[in-house]
Amino acid sequence: MIVLKIIWLSFFSLAVLFLIAKLIGNRQISQLSIFDYIIGITIGNIAAEMATSITDSWVEPLTAMLVYGLVAFMISFISMKSLTARKLLWGRPLIMYQNGKLFEKNLFKAKLDITEFQMMCRNYGFHNLADVGTATLEPNGQISFIPVAARRPVTPEDLNLFPRQEQIVVNIILDGKILDVNLKYLSKNKIWLQEQLNAQGYADEKNISLATCDGSGDVSVYVKMPKTETKDLFE
């Protein structure tokens, strides 16, 4: 009976965590503020306590999780509306280096020494500080770089080239099923799709694992492979 209760509470706490995460919003770990990080750890600990609360009531930890989640949502909403709150919660970008000058005061604010800063530069491919125009520490802890003009990558505009603007690639068949909504988005229909498949030698969409269409109307088809056929290069 105790084991069943733990299993039930574990699934229940996971469901609550999922709902709270959707309420707060989707962010990568590198995009979390210090406040979001603390809230996330706290809610996770409370969920673990709730899942293993065999004798104690699970209502109290559930209430605490909901309160933390609501506070996180309110703080996120306020920070979107208020510049002052955003600076307080997220912090401000700090210029670490610019035009050959190291700003040691900002390095101190960021709790970085020069050696660590050089290591972060090398991680981004800048082994010589002379190749860096500006280095800015963002509030999420990552450094963004502007290389000096002579070191930046060449763009098509520099070469007087005007390439075609790329568009998103849309899935039109997934696991053997035609995605009608995506076809409608592309202003296409099943007759057009069947013509495209026939032109590439595919008669039945059920044998297709994935088919995509780009902005130019070009269709790429990936057929289903037999389960007995594998391709593992890392055995």
Side-chain angles (χ1 to χ4, degrees), residues 100-117:
K101 296 179 181 179
L102 275 168
F103 295 94
E104 296 184 1
K105 184 176 180 180
N106 286 347
L107 284 171
F108 179 78
K109 287 181 181 179
K111 306 300 186 292
L112 285 174
D113 57 39
I114 295 177
T115 303
E116 288 177 303
F117 174 69

Side-chain angles (χ1 to χ4, degrees), residues 63-117:
T63 304
M65 287 175 62
L66 294 176
V67 169
Y68 272 100
L70 181 61
V71 169
F73 172 77
M74 292 174 59
I75 293 297
S76 177
F77 180 79
I78 292 172
S79 65
M80 286 190 297
K81 299 296 183 179
S82 171
L83 181 61
T84 303
R86 196 179 311 160
K87 290 180 180 179
L88 178 64
L89 294 171
W90 276 86
R92 295 182 301 171
L94 295 174
I95 296 178
M96 305 283 100
Y97 176 90
Q98 189 174 44
N99 298 329
K101 296 179 181 179
L102 275 168
F103 295 94
E104 296 184 1
K105 184 176 180 180
N106 286 347
L107 284 171
F108 179 78
K109 287 181 181 179
K111 306 300 186 292
L112 285 174
D113 57 39
I114 295 177
T115 303
E116 288 177 303
F117 174 69

Side-chain angles (χ1 to χ4, degrees), residues 98-142:
Q98 189 174 44
N99 298 329
K101 296 179 181 179
L102 275 168
F103 295 94
E104 296 184 1
K105 184 176 180 180
N106 286 347
L107 284 171
F108 179 78
K109 287 181 181 179
K111 306 300 186 292
L112 285 174
D113 57 39
I114 295 177
T115 303
E116 288 177 303
F117 174 69
Q118 287 179 304
M119 178 186 68
M120 298 178 77
C121 291
R122 289 193 296 270
N123 287 337
Y124 281 88
F126 295 98
H127 293 267
N128 189 344
L129 287 180
D131 296 337
V132 179
T134 303
T136 306
L137 180 68
E138 304 295 347
N140 62 0
Q142 294 185 337

Side-chain angles (χ1 to χ4, degrees), residues 42-203:
T42 305
I43 292 177
N45 287 335
I46 295 174
E49 287 286 336
M50 185 177 73
T52 55
S53 59
I54 301 172
T55 57
D56 300 329
S57 173
W58 52 268
V59 177
E60 290 83 357
L62 174 62
T63 304
M65 287 175 62
L66 294 176
V67 169
Y68 272 100
L70 181 61
V71 169
F73 172 77
M74 292 174 59
I75 293 297
S76 177
F77 180 79
I78 292 172
S79 65
M80 286 190 297
K81 299 296 183 179
S82 171
L83 181 61
T84 303
R86 196 179 311 160
K87 290 180 180 179
L88 178 64
L89 294 171
W90 276 86
R92 295 182 301 171
L94 295 174
I95 296 178
M96 305 283 100
Y97 176 90
Q98 189 174 44
N99 298 329
K101 296 179 181 179
L102 275 168
F103 295 94
E104 296 184 1
K105 184 176 180 180
N106 286 347
L107 284 171
F108 179 78
K109 287 181 181 179
K111 306 300 186 292
L112 285 174
D113 57 39
I114 295 177
T115 303
E116 288 177 303
F117 174 69
Q118 287 179 304
M119 178 186 68
M120 298 178 77
C121 291
R122 289 193 296 270
N123 287 337
Y124 281 88
F126 295 98
H127 293 267
N128 189 344
L129 287 180
D131 296 337
V132 179
T134 303
T136 306
L137 180 68
E138 304 295 347
N140 62 0
Q142 294 185 337
I143 295 183
S144 58
F145 294 92
I146 299 177
V148 296
R151 299 294 184 181
R152 69 175 179 83
V154 177
T155 65
E157 188 177 3
D158 294 331
L159 303 175
N160 291 323
L161 298 176
F162 303 95
R164 184 182 60 191
Q165 177 63 47
E166 293 186 1
Q167 304 293 331
I168 61 172
V169 177
V170 180
N171 295 341
I172 51 178
I173 296 178
L174 191 62
D175 292 330
K177 297 180 181 179
I178 297 176
L179 305 180
D180 295 318
V181 174
N182 291 359
L183 277 178
K184 185 177 179 180
Y185 168 79
L186 295 169
S187 300
K188 307 294 183 182
N189 53 38
K190 290 185 178 180
I191 297 176
W192 171 86
L193 176 58
Q194 193 60 53
E195 291 175 350
Q196 298 297 316
L197 296 178
N198 291 337
Q200 298 189 37
Y202 304 105

